Amino acid sequence: MLDLTTSVIRNLDLGHGNYLIEFGVPDSIQQMKPAQFFMIGTPGSEPLLRRPYSVCGLNGTFPDNQRGTAQVLYKVYGKGTRLLSGLGKGAELQVLGPLGNGFDLPDTGRRALLVAGGIGSAPFPLFIRHLAEAGHPAPRMIYGARSQGDLPLLSWFRDSCEEVLLTTDDGSAGEAGRVTQPLERLLEQGEGERLHLYVCGPDPMLKAVARLASRFDVPCDLALEAPMACGFGVCLGCVVPVHGDDGEVRFERVCVDGPVMPAQRMAW
Ligand SMILES: Cc1cc2nc3c(=O)[nH]c(=O)nc-3n(C[C@H](O)[C@H](O)[C@H](O)COP(=O)(O)OP(=O)(O)OC[C@H]3O[C@@H](n4cnc5c(N)ncnc54)[C@H](O)[C@@H]3O)c2cc1C
Ligand code: FES
């Protein structure tokens, strides 16, 4: 784990409060797994606590990446993300990482199906690159959001996936409704036998997808979010209830035992 002071190379405004920030990183960071994350802060400014962000891209994930860089896709919610969105080229960043465990590749005979809710698409560009590098076919993706503007990097995903099925709550893009609608149809057609679900998005979406995965007995990995103060296992601010191997419910830390956890372990 490195604690870096680095600088912003660019901070692209993707519209509707979504940004892609790029910053310099040393070579060792290029080994990060998709869904691992950084704790990022802006030196000398409020808020004191850094915020967690998934690694979205590294060298070569996006065609115009500079060498020795990492990218983070983020949405402005509160103080920390607003401060980040105001940073321009050359601004200083404090970056702690790599943190957490990350997505593993699917077993032989299974294909990745990515399920993303809004800014939950952030870990998937790097994952798509890892799949390609390991010789896996381009994945399919179900990408849902409240509205058309909440689907950052959509054209990149369309170019990089075999197929992107869209849903929006207001029907402004794709099918009106939730990601679980096309997912349930695919699973009812028997596709689950050949799939491994990788899911990132808001908690209610994770829970709904986890229920479908359990009903159709499909392997399913969730990239969880939780409030995080430290990011490396000390503060216990990020615990979630899980089923232990002995069947008892216990608490595990999302920052070090996750953020990726198999859906069937969750004791929601
Ligand atoms: C492992 C991990 C990886 C993450 N990766 C990313 C990422 O790649 N990109 C990204 O944009 N975010 C990501 N997040 C979420 C991100 O950390 C939060 O959005 C961020 O901490 C918000 O900080 P803030 O200071 O702007 O908002 P705060 O001031 O902390 O919160 C402002 C308000 O927004 C609400 N809020 C905060 N976060 C969210 C959220 N995620 N969804 C809905 N409401 C929220 C709060 O409840 C509060 O009401 C990740 C979180 C975790 C745990
Ligand atoms: S964020 Fe501190 S223990 Fe997980």
Side-chain angles (χ1 to χ4, degrees), residues 192-204:
E193 284 174 20
R194 295 180 294 278
L195 292 176
H196 187 131
L197 308 183
Y198 295 88
V199 195
C200 187
D203 265 7

Side-chain angles (χ1 to χ4, degrees), residues 72-88:
V72 158
L73 177 70
Y74 65 97
K75 185 170 180 70
V76 174
Y77 277 108
K79 222 169 175 181
T81 43
R82 196 167 310 114
L83 274 172
L84 208 56
S85 70
L87 299 181

Side-chain angles (χ1 to χ4, degrees), residues 111-116 140-144 165-167 175 177-192 195-200 205-216 218-220 222:
R111 282 182 74 166
L113 175 64
L114 317 180
V115 186
R140 287 155 91 187
M141 180 177 194
I142 302 178
Y143 195 2
L165 300 172
L166 285 186
T167 65
E175 180 178 345
R178 302 280 160 86
V179 290
T180 40
Q181 294 165 199
L183 177 61
E184 188 168 12
R185 283 199 300 272
L186 284 179
L187 298 178
E188 276 171 347
Q189 288 159 14
E191 300 241 7
L195 292 176
H196 187 131
L197 308 183
Y198 295 88
V199 195
C200 187
M205 187 197 101
L206 298 186
K207 288 176 184 168
V209 173
R211 278 195 295 274
L212 280 178
S214 161
R215 194 172 118 208
F216 290 93
V218 187
C220 176
L222 309 174

Side-chain angles (χ1 to χ4, degrees), residues 227-238 253-255:
M228 288 188 182
C230 71
F232 49 85
V234 175
C235 72
L236 304 184
C238 63
R253 295 160 296 177
V254 173
C255 63

